Amino acid sequence: IIDTDKHLKDYRFDRYAQTLYEFFWHEFCDWHLEIAKVDTPTASRGAKMAQLYQVFNDILVILHPALPFITESLWEHSHPQSQCLAKTPSPKAEDFAQHQEDLAMYEALKVLIGGIRNIRSELNIPPKAALDLYVTKDNHQLFDTFQHEIQKLAGIKTIHQSDTPPKQCCAYVNPDVEIGIDLTGHIDPTQEIQ
C-alpha cells in the first residue's frame, strides 16, 4: 500500500502497475492462496478463505485505478448492495497491524519451500514424488508451526527431527534452517557422479 501510494503521487504509473502485479501474482496468488488451501487442524480452510476474501477486496480497491472496468465488475458481482468501487475509500497502510516476527516466519517459510522446490527441479525429481525430510536446525520452529503447509507445498511425505540424516541426502542450508532431503529411490547416485 505504501509503495503504490508513493508511485501514484509521483505519477510513476509504470512502477505502480509493476508493484501491483508483483504483489497480486507473486505474493497473493503464488503464496497466500496456496497456503490457505492446505487443511490444518488449527485453522479451517473456510476461515483462511474468509481472511483472503477481505484481502482480495482491498486488492480490488488498490487495483481500480489501473484496471477500472475489470475491478468494478468484480466488485459489483461480489458486493451487489454496496456503492460502486470508485467511491470506496482506499485502504491505508496504518489500518493493518505489522507483526515483524510473523512476517519473518512467513518469509522463512517461503524461502524453505522455494529451496526444496529448487532441489527437486535441479535433480529432476517429479513434484508428485513424496520425499522424506530430516530437520537438523529450525530457528523459527517452522516445522512445528507449518508442518502441514510444508508437507503439501513441498511434496514431503514425512518430517523427521534428526541430528544425523541418512547417507543419500541432499542438504539444504540457510541461516534459519538446516535439512536433509532423502533421495533414496529418487535419483541414481552413479549417474549423478558422472
Side-chain angles (χ1 to χ4, degrees), residues 104 107-108 111 137-142 173-178:
E107 288 302 319
V111 168
K137 176 184 169 186
D138 181 11
N139 290 348
H140 288 290
Q141 284 72 45
L142 292 174
V173 178
N174 72 37
D176 300 314
V177 174
E178 292 178 9

Side-chain angles (χ1 to χ4, degrees), residues 31 106-116 118 172 174:
W31 289 103
Y106 174 71
E107 288 302 319
L109 175 67
K110 286 175 25 182
V111 168
L112 170 68
I113 292 171
I116 295 169
N118 285 342
Y172 174 76
N174 72 37

Side-chain angles (χ1 to χ4, degrees), residues 53 71-80:
Y53 180 71
T71 54
E72 192 69 51
S73 177
L74 289 169
W75 185 265
E76 287 173 5
H77 181 72
S78 60
H79 301 83

